[in-house]
Amino acid sequence: MTAAKIIYGTAWKKERTTALVVSAVLNGFRAIDTAAQPKHYREDLVGEALRELQEKHGIKREDLWIQTKFTQLLGQDRSLPLPYRPNEGIKNQLLSSVEQSLGVLGVAYLDSVLMHSPCKSASDTEAAFRALVELQDAGKVKHIGMSNTYDVAILEAIERACGKRVQIVQNRWHEGNHWDRGVARYCRENGIQYQSFWTLSGSPRLLAHPSLQTIANAKNCTPEQALFRLAQLHGITPLSGTTNEQHMREDVAVQDIDLENHLDAASNDEVSVAVRDVARLVWGL
């Protein structure tokens, strides 16, 4: 899993992808998320950004953590070029998709590949995940996992069937799904990296909550930064897809916001009480 505390997300960046990835890295991001799904991602332009970063800025591929995703046919726009032949079986679709990702990104290995979602059938999900295991065993992929998986039973079934635990889960994490408590807890308890998206945009009421405002005011940061930092301290690695350079710098800086001491249940200062209040609301602690 990535040691980076925050990941730059490239969905919906379209023609701006190269410039934004370069900007994100120059402003401190060291982990990048993309997908072999042309309707939402420009994986090829992430590849251009990687080349530009190395050639113009001396930032090598091994200095970055690169994650992509295999998207099954239901998640693709069939009017756009597909990363595999649609008549292939699910295993070969995944293998073809990853080979294309390696090519367009211009890398010899990927730090992580996720299934963009479980398949309709458990057997297809397991077949696809076994293909990820093969790629990991071959050294082409370092870590493997799932996205958009909101049922712990699916993660447990994959482990039983494939003999390999999912290493990363990337899910929507927001007030609308009660911050995905069940899966997030399972990941925390089983050493699985939990990556969150919709972290800010999906929780407007939380960002306006008086306790989060208290934390932000005391630590001279924004409520968005405070939420990112609390997420990190509870075992969550957030994605940020900001297109604003100031926000890029602010997002990277959240790991330096000192909130660890306020997690102590014995502390009763204003900030510690506010931290526990947010933890109760979000994690049920």
Side-chain angles (χ1 to χ4, degrees):
M1 287 72 79
T2 177
K5 300 295 185 183
I6 195 162
I7 299 169
Y8 189 68
T10 63
W12 307 299
K13 302 299 187 291
K14 299 183 178 180
E15 291 77 13
R16 300 178 66 196
T17 298
T18 297
L20 287 169
V21 170
V22 169
S23 180
V25 172
L26 295 181
N27 280 288
F29 280 86
R30 287 298 179 268
I32 301 165
D33 174 83
T34 185
Q37 185 195 34
K39 75 174 182 178
H40 291 320
Y41 295 83
R42 287 294 304 271
E43 199 178 40
D44 58 323
L45 297 185
V46 174
E48 287 190 17
L50 298 180
R51 288 186 286 277
E52 182 175 329
L53 286 164
Q54 177 152 337
E55 293 168 4
K56 296 183 179 180
H57 304 283
I59 297 174
K60 298 177 181 178
R61 184 267 174 268
E62 54 266 29
D63 298 327
L64 301 171
W65 192 88
I66 310 298
Q67 173 173 275
T68 193
K69 297 183 271 305
F70 159 71
T71 306
Q72 58 185 297
L73 201 55
L74 287 173
Q76 300 281 6
D77 180 345
R78 298 184 70 164
S79 70
L80 297 172
L82 296 173
Y84 48 76
R85 293 191 298 274
N87 59 344
E88 292 181 300
I90 192 71
K91 174 182 177 179
N92 287 332
Q93 286 181 10
L94 186 144
L95 294 174
S96 296
S97 180
V98 172
E99 283 300 323
Q100 176 167 303
S101 294
L102 289 165
V104 298
L105 291 168
V107 298
Y109 68 91
L110 290 157
D111 294 285
S112 171
V113 175
L114 311 180
M115 290 178 58
H116 217 152
S117 66
C119 302
K120 276 191 170 182
S121 72
S123 60
D124 276 355
T125 298
E126 292 159 8
F129 196 80
R130 286 193 188 96
L132 284 179
V133 173
E134 287 182 19
L135 290 167
Q136 187 177 47
D137 290 344
K140 293 185 176 182
V141 176
K142 291 191 174 183
H143 301 95
I144 56 178
M146 300 292 298
S147 185
N148 294 297
T149 304
Y150 300 94
D151 187 346
V152 168
I154 294 175
L155 300 174
E156 292 175 330
I158 289 171
E159 183 173 357
R160 284 195 304 271
C162 303
K164 185 85 171 184
R165 178 173 292 172
V166 170
Q167 295 174 302
I168 297 172
V169 171
Q170 184 189 105
N171 278 356
R172 291 183 182 88
W173 186 82
H174 61 110
E175 58 196 30
N177 69 353
H178 304 287
W179 296 282
D180 197 23
R181 282 185 187 176
V183 173
R185 183 184 304 113
Y186 176 81
C187 290
R188 188 167 59 248
E189 292 173 352
N190 288 277
I192 300 168
Q193 183 180 64
Y194 185 98
Q195 300 175 0
S196 66
F197 63 99
W198 285 19
T199 311
L200 302 180
S201 59
S203 295
R205 287 177 294 180
L206 179 60
L207 289 171
H209 195 281
S211 291
L212 200 62
Q213 297 285 334
T214 294
I215 297 167
N217 291 335
K219 296 300 179 178
N220 194 30
C221 66
T222 66
E224 290 81 1
Q225 286 179 296
L227 179 55
F228 270 158
R229 185 59 180 145
L230 286 172
Q232 291 173 343
L233 291 172
H234 286 86
I236 291 170
T237 304
L239 272 71
S240 167
T242 183
T243 59
N244 181 292
E245 288 197 343
Q246 180 179 339
H247 292 166
M248 290 176 182
R249 292 188 290 272
E250 289 174 351
D251 291 350
V252 171
V254 299
Q255 64 185 16
D256 298 322
I257 298 173
D258 179 18
L259 288 177
E260 290 94 331
N261 294 334
H262 298 289
L263 299 175
D264 187 350
S267 301
N268 289 308
D269 61 278
E270 183 183 38
V271 176
S272 296
V273 170
V275 166
R276 291 199 296 274
D277 190 30
V278 174
R280 279 192 297 270
L281 177 65
V282 175
W283 290 280
L285 302 176

